Amino acid sequence: MNRAFSRKKDKTWMHTPEALSKHFIPYNAKFLGSTEVEQPKGTEVVRDAVRKLKFARHIKKSEGQKIPKVELQISIYGVKILEPKTKEVQHNCQLHRISFCADDKTDKRIFTFICKDSESNKHLCYVFDSEKCAEEITLTIGQAFDLAYRKFLESGGKDVETRKQIAGLQKRIQDLETENMELKNKVQDLENQLRITQVSAPPAGSMTPKSPSTDIFDMIPFSPISHQSSMPTRNGTQPPPLPSRSTEIKRDLFGAEPFDPFNCGAADFPPDIQSKLDEMQEGFKMGLTLEGTVFCLDPLDSRC
């Protein structure tokens, strides 16, 4: 029984949108474990993974080990796997990374989903044993995926390319402003050196004192120790005040305030936000397949 993901199946959803958007739906289950798979989708893929993990579980049971219990928290932000007592998050599977979800239509307890790991980018198959609510859990994951995809589109997922272009323009503007400030600083330093040279020039007919060292432009190097108040006057007048640089920082190459399309600082616009948007768009575009299948195919499986 294949339940391909679509909005036409909204009437089959089991929870209100608010329950998954503002809160989460908790489920208790036994965690058989996870194993790497080659493909993001496919009944045979999860069937092999379930058989492998079930066999490993029987080995552990024969050694006296118990299957760990976990709590699942399902919302539009993902599927969290927690330790029931301490609430420590063991795994956090984002919905756009989940590509396949299936439950056993005969056992009613076994369900599984495939999720792309955020660090290794490998596809991992997670397998659980619930108290006869496997189908309900897979449907809940499907509903959360549907709501998350709608929220992604409403929040601007359609405008990923536009955001890329705006981000590129914003970076270009910032680069131009930085270059502009560097040029202004250089011009200001040259003007200061020229002003010092003119002020220290001796009057006509007087002895020329020993000239201090000069730079390649035959100018006296600028010293940051010099201050405007200590500059000698010329013809009884004070040199014009130096312009303040603090006000220039807020101006661009044309004397206008810098353009900020987001009306926020650089810290509010992480450089990797576009890659995350691309990743989410790609994951949602792949879609989530919900499927009911048969995992118990041999006597060993039937005793689980």
Side-chain angles (χ1 to χ4, degrees):
M1 177 179 62
N2 183 280
R3 296 188 294 274
F5 195 94
S6 69
R7 293 183 181 178
K8 295 180 180 179
K9 302 293 288 183
D10 280 355
K11 60 183 179 180
T12 67
W13 296 145
M14 310 185 68
H15 308 283
T16 63
E18 291 75 17
L20 288 165
S21 300
K22 298 181 180 180
H23 307 283
F24 59 84
I25 306 298
Y27 290 99
N28 293 319
K30 293 180 180 180
F31 185 31
L32 276 66
S34 63
T35 183
E36 182 181 354
V37 293
E38 295 297 328
Q39 301 295 329
K41 295 177 182 286
T43 302
E44 291 299 326
V45 175
V46 296
R47 181 177 288 132
D48 291 342
V50 169
R51 178 179 285 125
K52 176 181 177 180
L53 291 172
K54 276 187 174 182
F55 180 78
R57 185 181 75 164
H58 281 286
I59 297 297
K60 291 181 179 180
K61 286 182 66 176
S62 65
E63 296 175 349
Q65 299 183 31
K66 294 184 178 181
I67 307 302
K69 295 181 180 180
V70 295
E71 177 182 330
L72 300 177
Q73 294 182 356
I74 304 173
S75 70
I76 64 171
Y77 300 103
V79 179
K80 288 185 179 181
I81 305 173
L82 303 89
E83 205 285 326
K85 295 182 179 180
T86 65
K87 302 300 180 181
E88 178 184 358
V89 178
Q90 299 177 350
H91 303 276
N92 188 8
C93 304
Q94 295 174 306
L95 290 175
H96 68 274
R97 290 180 170 270
I98 299 178
S99 53
F100 192 84
C101 190
D103 58 86
D104 192 331
K105 66 180 181 180
T106 58
D107 194 322
K108 303 296 184 182
R109 297 182 305 169
I110 303 298
F111 70 95
T112 177
F113 62 82
I114 298 177
C115 180
K116 190 175 183 180
D117 185 69
S118 59
E119 295 182 359
S120 65
N121 280 331
K122 295 179 180 179
H123 296 287
L124 301 179
C125 183
Y126 295 79
V127 181
F128 303 87
D129 184 345
S130 66
E131 291 296 329
K132 297 184 179 181
C133 57
E135 183 177 8
E136 178 181 339
I137 295 175
T138 57
L139 286 174
T140 302
I141 294 176
Q143 182 182 6
F145 185 98
D146 181 61
L147 292 172
Y149 181 53
R150 296 187 192 186
K151 185 177 181 65
F152 175 73
L153 294 179
E154 292 171 359
S155 64
K158 295 180 179 179
D159 303 325
V160 172
E161 289 299 324
T162 302
R163 293 190 180 190
K164 279 185 178 180
Q165 296 175 5
I166 294 177
L169 290 174
Q170 186 186 40
K171 186 178 184 304
R172 178 57 179 159
I173 291 172
Q174 292 175 347
D175 291 342
L176 287 174
E177 290 172 354
T178 301
E179 183 180 352
N180 179 34
M181 285 305 306
E182 291 176 352
L183 291 174
K184 285 185 176 182
N185 290 338
K186 290 180 180 179
V187 171
Q188 188 64 62
D189 290 341
L190 290 174
E191 289 179 350
N192 291 339
Q193 293 178 20
L194 179 60
R195 189 172 291 113
I196 293 174
T197 303
Q198 293 175 344
V199 170
S200 61
S206 62
M207 291 184 60
T208 303
K210 184 178 179 180
S211 175
S213 59
T214 57
D215 60 15
I216 59 174
F217 301 105
D218 198 26
M219 295 182 179
I220 299 175
F222 171 72
S223 173
I225 302 177
S226 302
H227 192 273
Q228 179 181 346
S229 60
S230 62
M231 291 183 182
T233 59
R234 185 180 182 185
N235 298 328
T237 61
Q238 188 75 13
L242 298 178
S244 173
R245 292 185 184 176
S246 60
T247 57
E248 294 177 1
I249 295 178
K250 300 179 181 179
R251 301 291 173 175
D252 63 10
L253 187 61
F254 305 101
E257 292 186 2
F259 170 66
D260 185 0
F262 297 101
N263 193 27
C264 64
D268 299 318
F269 195 77
D272 62 340
I273 188 172
Q274 296 305 325
S275 63
K276 293 184 181 298
L277 286 172
D278 289 340
E279 175 193 317
M280 293 180 68
Q281 186 180 49
E282 181 181 354
F284 283 128
K285 185 177 180 180
M286 177 182 292
L288 171 64
T289 301
L290 301 183
E291 187 169 295
T293 186
V294 178
F295 296 138
C296 296
L297 300 177
D298 51 46
L300 178 64
D301 286 340
S302 63
R303 296 195 304 271
C304 60

